[in-house]
Amino acid sequence: MMAERAPLPYDHLRRVPAFEVVSDDIAEGGVLPGTHVYESGNLSPHLRWSGAPEGTASYAVTCFDPDAPTCSGWWHWLLVDIPAGVTELPRGAGSGDMKGLPEGAFHGRNDYGTFDFGGAAPPPGPPHRYVFAVHALGVASAELTPDQTAAIFSGTVNHHALARAVLTVEYGA
């Protein structure tokens, strides 16, 4: 009998309106390409969003794996304080030389212990889901520091969220 999958991270949080996120690199329900896998590229994917609500003062971008073999999933990406006028991140903005990272935006420590995007690296077994989310925030700054935990980052982002755009892909080893 196959084990039941963990819930998606936003299923049990305060409901907020949705807006749209698309990517030149990944597609909803698709497979994460090797370029975005930890061992074979480790580049953050391109993301572009539209339709955020009036009052959006900044954005945050996260990537979470609810299927990781831990009690708390796995945070791959925590990026906050993206200015409200920015609606696109190029491939690699969150990794490598971070070309294209918006001025003022910064990374929190992911579960690899680094301050960047950390690609997929699931253990052998069923594919894992990678939930990329763009959060429209009602504050210009989340008032976080890079060394705060992923739980603090995600809680603060969810507290200030006016709306959320989600793109979920899978990858298996």
Side-chain angles (χ1 to χ4, degrees), residues 5-120:
R5 288 182 118 173
L8 289 170
Y10 306 109
D11 287 353
H12 301 288
L13 297 176
R14 176 178 59 90
R15 299 268 185 225
V16 295
F19 61 104
E20 184 178 33
V21 61
V22 296
S23 174
D24 293 345
D25 298 324
I26 58 178
E28 176 64 32
V31 175
L32 188 69
T35 305
H36 313 295
V37 172
Y38 192 80
E39 294 296 328
S40 60
N42 204 38
L43 287 177
S44 60
H46 163 268
L47 297 173
R48 180 177 50 257
W49 54 91
S50 62
E54 187 175 323
T56 298
S58 71
Y59 295 99
V61 170
T62 59
C63 178
F64 181 74
D65 172 3
D67 302 316
T70 71
C71 293
S72 57
W74 192 268
W75 288 99
H76 288 265
W77 201 7
L78 299 154
L79 178 63
V80 296
D81 290 1
I82 300 168
V86 174
T87 57
E88 186 169 15
L89 293 175
R91 179 185 306 118
S95 52
D97 64 8
M98 297 193 204
K99 186 175 182 178
L101 186 67
E103 187 173 339
F106 68 93
H107 288 95
R109 185 190 325 268
N110 62 33
D111 284 335
Y112 291 112
T114 60
F115 299 93
D116 57 3
F117 167 80

Side-chain angles (χ1 to χ4, degrees), residues 14 16 135-139 141-143 155-163:
R14 176 178 59 90
V16 295
H135 312 263
L137 307 182
V139 293
S141 173
E143 297 188 14
T156 300
V157 164
N158 287 314
H159 174 75
H160 292 297
L162 301 175

